Amino acid sequence: VLVVCVVFGVGSARAHENVEKLRHWEIPSKDPDRIILTFNGDPATSRAVTWRTDATIEKAVAQIAEATVNSKFQDHSVSEDAVTEPFDLGLYKSNASLIVHYHSVIFDQLKPDTVYVYRVGDGDARWSEWIQFRTACAEYAPTQFIYFGDAQNDVLAHWSRVIRQAHQTAPNASFVVHAGDLINQAHRDYEWAQWFKAGGFLHSQCTAIPVVGNHEFTPLGGKKSPRRSK
């Protein structure tokens, strides 16, 4: 029993040391981060949102309402319980051994061509800001969107300029297509931290269509998948 306790203590110490080496914008907390808005079903009547917290947030909530010219929309907001999924970042060797919680909610039965506001949190004191988006028209209408090729490398240093300039050029784009290879190593959390930091609030406001590329298919063991013969 003594040996088991000693080994467990060493493992915990190493995990703690690994976490201490992380930048503050990599470490999850009770507050929602890495919020991303995506499509789910009909873009005129639904959206999905996903976000991250630390493992202490076991129950999460999203609220949504039709936008108004003032803050009174809060009085008419609707709450939706999130699906919460724990994940151990330490399953991939380059990450710190850290349990995080991912939360997701689907907003449905929305009105077409309508501006909505939503926020995510623990249902109590830990909330994101209110974030706006517009649903698509029910009928055919001209649509503007942004298309990104591989972000992949030096995402925070250089791709941040690209996504921010794209937003300045097309601030009313209905959605954003990320056409694969969003990062270089699929399971390396530091790279995902860069990707979310580079885009900032845009990931939560402009509906994303993330397309998986070959760099999103690396096995957890870190070895490349064998090539398939044609």
Side-chain angles (χ1 to χ4, degrees):
V1 175
L2 178 61
V3 173
V4 172
C5 290
V6 170
V7 172
F8 182 80
V10 171
S12 298
R14 286 176 179 171
H16 183 67
E17 289 173 2
N18 288 339
V19 172
E20 285 189 339
K21 294 178 181 178
L22 299 179
R23 294 161 177 81
H24 70 88
W25 41 270
E26 293 180 72
I27 302 172
S29 69
K30 297 178 185 294
D31 296 304
D33 68 2
R34 301 193 187 183
I35 305 169
I36 184 167
L37 188 69
T38 56
F39 286 125
N40 182 81
D42 187 344
T45 59
S46 66
R47 284 295 188 281
V49 61
T50 303
W51 68 100
R52 184 189 76 155
T53 64
D54 65 22
T56 65
I57 304 299
E58 298 180 346
K59 182 180 179 182
V61 175
Q63 292 183 329
I64 189 168
E66 288 187 44
T68 60
V69 295
N70 52 40
S71 61
K72 292 183 179 180
F73 63 80
Q74 296 182 85
D75 299 335
H76 307 287
S77 63
V78 176
S79 295
E80 301 282 354
D81 290 337
V83 174
T84 297
E85 301 174 86
F87 183 72
D88 182 3
L89 294 176
L91 290 174
Y92 184 64
K93 61 182 180 181
S94 294
N95 294 334
S97 182
L98 187 65
I99 303 295
V100 298
H101 280 181
Y102 286 96
H103 315 279
S104 58
V105 163
I106 295 173
F107 299 125
D108 55 14
Q109 299 182 357
L110 306 179
K111 297 178 181 179
D113 194 23
T114 302
V115 177
Y116 283 89
V117 286
Y118 77 93
R119 66 176 180 172
V120 299
D122 65 352
D124 186 17
R126 304 281 183 166
W127 289 103
S128 70
E129 70 275 31
W130 287 98
I131 305 162
Q132 290 196 172
F133 69 89
R134 180 184 290 275
T135 52
C137 296
E139 305 297 332
Y140 171 81
T143 300
Q144 186 180 56
F145 67 93
I146 299 170
Y147 177 97
F148 293 112
D150 302 16
Q152 192 170 347
N153 297 307
D154 298 320
V155 174
L156 182 56
H158 297 298
W159 184 70
S160 56
R161 297 170 54 221
V162 177
I163 187 172
R164 294 168 193 179
Q165 184 61 48
H167 175 65
Q168 288 184 329
T169 304
N172 295 316
S174 298
F175 59 91
V176 174
V177 178
H178 299 277
D181 293 352
L182 282 67
I183 61 171
N184 192 45
Q185 299 180 56
H187 307 295
R188 192 180 180 207
D189 192 65
Y190 172 60
E191 295 187 25
W192 286 113
Q194 288 192 60
W195 190 84
F196 275 98
K197 184 173 174 59
F201 73 89
L202 298 177
H203 295 309
S204 62
Q205 179 172 293
C206 192
T207 309
I209 303 178
V211 180
V212 292
N214 63 303
H215 282 264
E216 277 79 55
F217 277 105
T218 306
L220 277 173
K223 297 180 180 179
K224 293 183 178 180
S225 300
R227 293 181 179 273
R228 294 182 179 179
S229 57
K230 294 182 179 180

